[in-house]
Amino acid sequence: MARTHDAQSTLRALNTHAEAILEAHLNQGNRMPVTDDNVGMLETLEHHRLIWRLAEDEDPQLKKVLAHFLDHITESDRRRKASEHVDQLWNELNQLFAEYREAKRLAAFEDKERVEGTIKEVLSEIIEDIRTATVTFSAYITSGFSYITDIELRIRKNEEVIDQAHRLSNLFDSFKIRELEDQAGNDPFLKRLLLKHLPATLEEGRRNLSYALNQLRILLVRMREDQRLSKLIGGFESHYANNRGFEPSIDDLDLAYCPPVLNTVAPFRIVSYGDIYDPADDQDLIEIARWARPLDSQVNEPHADAKAVSSVEFDVDGATEQEEVDPVDELVEQLLQHLLDGDIGGCEIRALEVLAHSDMDLDAATWLHTLESELDALAPNDYDLIEVDYQSEPDPLYPDNLYILDMTLRRRSDSRL
């Protein structure tokens, strides 16, 4: 008895707050905003488990079972609001279905053929109305509402068209496949019309409508941005018109009344680079270089008596200076030369083993990076002779990035070239 009493209490709550529930379902996306006037109603609906919400600061929503029930009982109303003509034709079609089944039951073949023709005609008119309704939105998107000069009216028209598109979407949703199957039953004629032609038209209309809604929303955002810029420009224009001598300048600001946040600037370093390919920067770079060195030649010259030398003679081959060779580069060159010229057969060389047998105090990352750079610098013919395998492991946080742990180098065989 208690369960029956709870069910009756829930039905009474639905009846008491029917208007607010229907408003939330039809116009607010199943959401019920929290206000001072409806706190008691929300508590009652929550007590009967008719609404839910994840957090206290969110608006409660109607339960899914209640939303499905409201979809069912408001189907005809939503179809009528979306298109009264389609709703009228669909009601007429339902009457024709009843006449068709009755004529078929009585074996009245002439009446059956007559009703079949009428059903085809009415269903064809419904399909044509649906296609025409979706094509209309393409015209709005193409024109961009440019025929309306006032931006406020243009935005209002765009919003009206978006609402119209939502109503048309409700019209498509009102045709349920399960109900169409029930209408068709096992009759081949009705199956062909209701389960083939009509669903194909509805699916095409949904695709066109989805694209149109997306484009209309983008257009609405652009219009609102244009409206904001127009108001900004209009404000400047009116200020100039009322103040003939106005000149926008930072000197006009009264810093005594500026907030401290706007009146305080933190120092920051500006790093600049000269463009050596720009002739306009040549003179600036020359001036910077000239002032970068002291003009007093005595400071930088280690030997003061060098001024007494009137001339300098060089050998025929010119003076040469021996440059120290980097041991890391030398080891890499020896390794690559051994791979290219040495007879190593099918042997492999591990990069970290080479580093371990050398006397250099060098970390593995620098060694592998140097070896990789020298490989990339090889001539194409030499580069094709060396095959490299990388031992790696993925990054635990970003699996697409790999950590290179070692490199295995070998000489390609002739069969691979």
Side-chain angles (χ1 to χ4, degrees), residues 212-342:
L213 269 172
N214 182 48
Q215 296 300 315
L216 287 170
R217 291 192 182 103
I218 294 175
L219 187 60
L220 182 60
V221 171
R222 291 175 181 172
M223 287 182 183
R224 287 174 176 168
E225 181 65 18
D226 292 342
Q227 183 188 38
R228 187 185 68 83
L229 293 177
S230 297
K231 290 181 179 179
L232 181 62
I233 295 173
F236 274 105
E237 183 182 6
S238 61
H239 190 80
Y240 272 105
N242 298 328
N243 302 272
R244 294 293 181 179
F246 172 73
E247 293 182 1
S249 173
I250 195 172
D251 297 332
D252 297 335
L253 293 177
D254 189 355
L255 298 182
Y257 296 98
C258 274
V261 177
L262 301 179
N263 201 12
T264 303
V265 179
F268 59 94
R269 180 180 298 177
I270 299 178
V271 181
S272 60
Y273 301 92
D275 187 0
I276 61 175
Y277 300 104
D278 186 1
D281 287 356
D282 283 350
Q283 295 301 322
D284 295 335
L285 292 174
I286 291 172
E287 290 297 323
I288 292 174
R290 185 169 66 87
W291 289 104
R293 296 182 179 182
L295 297 178
D296 188 2
S297 59
Q298 296 290 339
V299 176
N300 290 332
E301 293 185 5
H303 303 287
D305 58 346
K307 294 183 179 179
V309 180
S310 59
S311 63
V312 178
E313 294 181 359
F314 293 94
D315 294 337
V316 176
D317 295 335
T320 60
E321 182 178 353
Q322 189 68 26
E323 184 179 356
E324 295 183 1
V325 179
D326 188 355
V328 179
D329 293 338
E330 185 178 8
L331 180 59
V332 172
E333 290 179 3
Q334 292 176 1
L335 173 59
L336 297 181
Q337 196 66 31
H338 180 67
L339 283 169
L340 294 173
D341 300 337

Side-chain angles (χ1 to χ4, degrees), residues 75-130:
E75 177 182 289
S76 178
D77 184 67
R78 286 185 288 115
R79 186 186 296 130
R80 180 183 55 80
K81 288 183 178 180
S83 175
E84 293 185 1
H85 187 227
V86 171
D87 181 63
Q88 180 181 357
L89 291 175
W90 185 251
N91 292 331
E92 181 181 349
L93 200 60
N94 286 327
Q95 296 176 1
L96 291 172
F97 290 154
E99 294 180 11
Y100 173 78
R101 294 190 184 92
E102 184 66 17
K104 186 178 179 180
R105 186 182 67 84
L106 298 175
F109 297 108
E110 293 184 359
D111 293 336
K112 177 175 171 292
E113 291 180 359
R114 175 183 57 81
V115 176
E116 283 183 355
T118 307
I119 289 175
K120 289 180 180 179
E121 182 179 354
V122 174
L123 188 60
S124 175
E125 191 171 353
I126 291 177
I127 292 175
E128 186 64 27
D129 284 353
I130 292 175

Side-chain angles (χ1 to χ4, degrees), residues 335 338-339 344 347-351 354 407-410:
L335 173 59
H338 180 67
L339 283 169
I344 64 174
C347 297
E348 298 179 345
I349 298 177
R350 300 287 295 270
V354 175
M407 297 167 59
T408 302
L409 298 93
R410 67 179 66 88

Side-chain angles (χ1 to χ4, degrees), residues 51-182:
I51 59 176
W52 66 275
R53 54 182 167 185
L54 291 176
E56 292 296 331
D57 56 345
E58 293 184 358
D59 291 335
Q61 299 186 39
L62 301 179
K63 280 289 190 72
K64 185 180 293 186
V65 290
L66 178 57
H68 288 170
F69 174 68
L70 293 173
D71 276 338
H72 175 70
I73 62 177
T74 61
E75 177 182 289
S76 178
D77 184 67
R78 286 185 288 115
R79 186 186 296 130
R80 180 183 55 80
K81 288 183 178 180
S83 175
E84 293 185 1
H85 187 227
V86 171
D87 181 63
Q88 180 181 357
L89 291 175
W90 185 251
N91 292 331
E92 181 181 349
L93 200 60
N94 286 327
Q95 296 176 1
L96 291 172
F97 290 154
E99 294 180 11
Y100 173 78
R101 294 190 184 92
E102 184 66 17
K104 186 178 179 180
R105 186 182 67 84
L106 298 175
F109 297 108
E110 293 184 359
D111 293 336
K112 177 175 171 292
E113 291 180 359
R114 175 183 57 81
V115 176
E116 283 183 355
T118 307
I119 289 175
K120 289 180 180 179
E121 182 179 354
V122 174
L123 188 60
S124 175
E125 191 171 353
I126 291 177
I127 292 175
E128 186 64 27
D129 284 353
I130 292 175
R131 289 175 176 170
T132 303
T134 55
V135 170
T136 304
F137 294 102
S138 300
Y140 288 129
I141 296 172
T142 304
S143 65
F145 304 97
S146 57
Y147 54 90
I148 303 176
T149 56
D150 185 76
I151 186 67
E152 191 75 30
L153 296 177
R154 192 181 301 175
I155 290 176
R156 193 177 305 169
K157 181 62 176 177
N158 195 346
E159 292 173 344
E160 291 176 359
V161 173
I162 289 177
D163 291 339
Q164 182 182 350
H166 281 298
R167 291 194 299 271
L168 190 60
S169 178
N170 292 333
L171 173 65
F172 293 159
D173 293 339
S174 66
F175 293 96
K176 301 293 190 301
I177 298 298
R178 184 180 298 276
E179 295 181 3
L180 295 178
E181 291 177 350
D182 294 339

